[in-house]
């Protein structure tokens, strides 16, 4: 199988590439990204064909490779909430417009697309478990730009679905629920808007800075280890007996549902215990409650509970998450800190 991965140097792309090369001897990867720092040994691998570049510029390369490949994974997107508020148009241009072009090429060349939707499409849905087929997708007023990512992704989900119904597009949509692990964001070199909560907190602790609990930190997330996410993606790409054909899958860990405050407390316990180099810094850290508008600026709004139903993934992919949070955090911290 020839697989095209756009954004191969990202968090998901780099882990996916590594696992495919290690576990699937018949699969070849054609890949593009702006940078290559997360790809390590993949770059030397005979079945990894990498081109450095911008997918919005290298149109000829993209056409040729979509034609040549069996499956397309467009993984390029801005996925950090601070950016949704700071630069919503950039989110729209990259996450929506640039990806729409790729989707249309998959329709034109009749190629299978595996597209990253997001847990964010459910927005502030009140269901106890978010269900791909039943849950309403609930976002806030337009001035709350937090939801531009959610709605960009949602419209692409709907467009892909419609191309499937009306133009024969073969697709799978997957919805990561707070995937985390090594290489998520850079903890040592924080950029404004560049970090998800876990890497933000690890970075805070390493620098001995206080941890900001936005709106008090009672909001909950189901943190899902990247290895489990990649395992689901391998089943989706493999598509045995068409099990993933034209389906949507939540890929998350419903049993690892914790509050953001609890996450901070776990890290403050773990880091001094297992990584004594940072014990002094960790001791200096306090948990500070901040208002969202002071942390993110106007236009931020949050979801308090986000639990996936994984019934579809269990039934069709035979997939379940295996990694518990404390073990996943240890693995992540080991890769960042040792
Ligand atoms: C994430 C991002 O939108 C995407 O990475 C992704 O599509 C999706 O959700 C997902 O991974 O499922 P969110 O969970 O809000 O959204 O992202 P984080 O930035 O990791 O924040 C999690 C929570 O921690 C939020 O409630 C946020 O307000 C809070 N937070 C964040 C803090 O309390 N303090 C901080 O310093 C940073």
């Amino acid at each position: 199988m020839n697989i095209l991965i756009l954004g191969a140097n990202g968090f998901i792309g780099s882990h996916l590439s590594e696992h495919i090369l290690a576990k699937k001897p018949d699969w070849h990867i054609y890949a593009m990204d702006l940078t290559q720092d997360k790809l390590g040994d993949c770059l030397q691998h005979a079945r990894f064909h990498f081109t450095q570049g911008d997918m919005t510029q290298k149109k000829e390369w993209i056409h040729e490779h979509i034609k040549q490949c069996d499956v397309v994974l467009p993984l390029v997107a801005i996925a950090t909430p601070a950016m949704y508020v700071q630069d919503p148009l950039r989110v729209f241009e990259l996450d929506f417009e640039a990806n729409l072009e790729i989707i249309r090429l998959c329709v034109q060349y009749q190629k299978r697309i595996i597209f990253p939707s997001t847990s964010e499409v459910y927005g502030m849905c009140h269901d106890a478990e978010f269900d791909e087929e039943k849950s309403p997708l609930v976002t806030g007023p337009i001035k709350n730009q937090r939801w531009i990512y959610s709605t960009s992704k949602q419209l692409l989900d709907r467009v892909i679905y419609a191309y499937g119904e009306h133009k024969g597009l073969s697709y799978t949509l997957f919805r990561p629920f707070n995937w985390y692990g090594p290489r998520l964001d850079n903890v040592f070199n924080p950029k404004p808007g560049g970090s998800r909560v876990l890497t933000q907190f690890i970075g805070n602790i390493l620098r001995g800075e206080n941890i900001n609990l936005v709106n008090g930190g009672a909001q909950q997330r189901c943190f899902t280890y990247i290895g489990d996410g990649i395992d689901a993606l391998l089943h989706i790409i493999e598509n045995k007996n068409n099990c993933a054909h034209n389906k949507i899958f939540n890929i998350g860990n419903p049993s690892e549902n914790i509050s953001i405050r609890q996450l901070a407390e776990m890290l403050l316990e773990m880091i001094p215990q297992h990584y004594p180099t940072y014990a002094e810094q960790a001791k200096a850290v306090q948990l500070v409650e901040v208002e969202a508008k002071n942390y993110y600026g106007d236009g931020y709004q949050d979801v308090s509970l986000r639990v996936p139903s994984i019934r579809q993934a269990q039934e069709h992919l035979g997939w379940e998450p295996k990694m518990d949070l404390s073990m996943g955090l240890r693995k992540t911290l080991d890769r960042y800190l040792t």
Side-chain angles (χ1 to χ4, degrees):
M1 179 147 42
N2 289 327
I3 301 165
L4 177 61
I5 304 181
L6 303 173
N9 191 51
F11 171 53
I12 298 179
S14 64
H15 283 276
L16 180 62
S17 299
E18 199 177 274
H19 279 75
I20 288 177
L21 297 175
K23 292 187 186 155
K24 301 287 176 184
D26 301 331
W27 294 7
H28 287 251
I29 301 173
Y30 294 82
M32 182 187 276
D33 207 310
L34 290 169
T35 46
Q36 56 179 56
D37 55 297
K38 293 182 177 173
L39 287 165
D41 293 344
C42 295
L43 291 165
Q44 272 73 53
H45 202 287
R47 285 182 287 112
F48 190 74
H49 314 277
F50 181 74
T51 298
Q52 193 156 353
D54 180 342
M55 77 163 192
T56 62
Q57 303 296 320
K58 294 203 160 195
K59 303 223 168 176
E60 225 172 277
W61 189 96
I62 298 270
H63 266 258
E64 276 317 303
H65 284 79
I66 290 182
K67 258 197 259 180
Q68 236 179 64
C69 287
D70 304 296
V71 184
V72 179
L73 285 112
L75 302 180
V76 174
I78 293 169
T80 42
M83 289 303 290
Y84 314 158
V85 178
Q86 283 165 26
D87 202 351
L89 291 176
R90 180 85 194 104
V91 173
F92 171 72
E93 287 157 7
L94 187 68
D95 296 17
F96 184 85
E97 287 189 308
N99 280 290
L100 182 58
E101 281 187 40
I102 306 297
I103 294 163
R104 288 192 162 136
L105 290 172
C106 291
V107 176
Q108 181 182 339
Y109 296 117
Q110 288 290 296
K111 296 297 170 161
R112 178 163 180 243
I113 185 166
I114 299 176
F115 193 77
S117 177
T118 170
S119 65
E120 291 246 338
V121 295
Y122 296 103
M124 297 172 292
C125 176
H126 287 295
D127 291 356
E129 281 198 336
F130 298 169
D131 183 294
E132 300 92 331
E133 297 190 340
K134 295 189 198 128
S135 288
L137 311 181
V138 183
T139 53
I142 302 301
K143 69 180 167 81
N144 291 346
Q145 299 258 275
R146 155 65 183 267
W147 305 114
I148 196 155
Y149 172 74
S150 168
T151 49
S152 294
K153 288 279 191 180
Q154 185 194 146
L155 186 52
L156 289 179
D157 287 4
R158 293 188 189 279
V159 167
I160 289 171
Y161 180 88
Y163 274 127
E165 292 285 290
H166 299 281
K167 304 277 181 196
L169 177 66
S170 172
Y171 69 85
T172 307
L173 299 173
F174 66 98
R175 294 185 172 153
F177 278 64
N178 289 86
W179 291 11
Y180 72 95
R183 304 201 288 263
L184 176 58
D185 307 301
N186 190 337
V187 295
F188 298 106
N189 181 20
K191 291 182 285 177
S195 287
R196 262 62 59 108
V197 67
L198 172 63
T199 38
Q200 181 63 52
F201 286 180
I202 297 173
N204 291 144
I205 296 171
L206 303 189
R207 295 185 293 277
E209 298 164 358
N210 288 344
I211 284 181
N212 290 304
L213 297 176
V214 175
N215 290 342
Q219 63 276 38
Q220 287 169 264
R221 296 292 190 270
C222 289
F223 291 95
T224 309
Y225 190 65
I226 183 72
D228 282 327
I230 296 301
D231 187 29
L233 274 180
L234 294 182
H235 286 299
I236 290 173
I237 298 172
E238 196 162 33
N239 198 23
K240 218 183 234 170
N241 304 321
N242 255 353
C243 63
H245 178 70
N246 292 12
K247 293 200 170 62
I248 306 177
F249 296 109
N250 290 337
I251 306 295
N253 193 337
S255 50
E256 292 298 350
N257 184 23
I258 63 160
S259 74
I260 297 306
R261 180 182 285 275
Q262 283 171 297
L263 177 71
E265 288 166 352
M266 277 179 89
L267 292 169
L268 280 173
E269 199 183 303
M270 265 181 182
I271 292 180
Q273 195 181 343
H274 299 289
Y275 312 91
T277 326
Y278 299 101
E280 277 304 303
Q281 288 91 322
K283 248 191 262 164
V285 176
Q286 315 246 336
L287 300 182
V288 178
E289 296 189 8
V290 290
E291 272 184 59
K293 73 170 178 328
N294 296 331
Y295 187 83
Y296 287 106
D298 288 332
Y300 183 77
Q301 194 169 20
D302 205 353
V303 48
S304 51
L305 196 63
R306 177 193 276 170
V307 182
S309 154
I310 55 166
R311 194 176 40 88
Q312 295 282 347
Q314 284 168 321
E315 205 173 294
H316 298 286
L317 305 175
W319 174 86
E320 272 181 356
K322 297 192 179 78
M323 184 71 73
D324 67 41
L325 184 60
S326 51
M327 184 58 83
L329 288 178
R330 280 301 307 278
K331 278 177 164 284
T332 307
L333 290 168
D334 274 350
R335 290 283 286 275
Y336 276 120
L337 305 185
T338 53

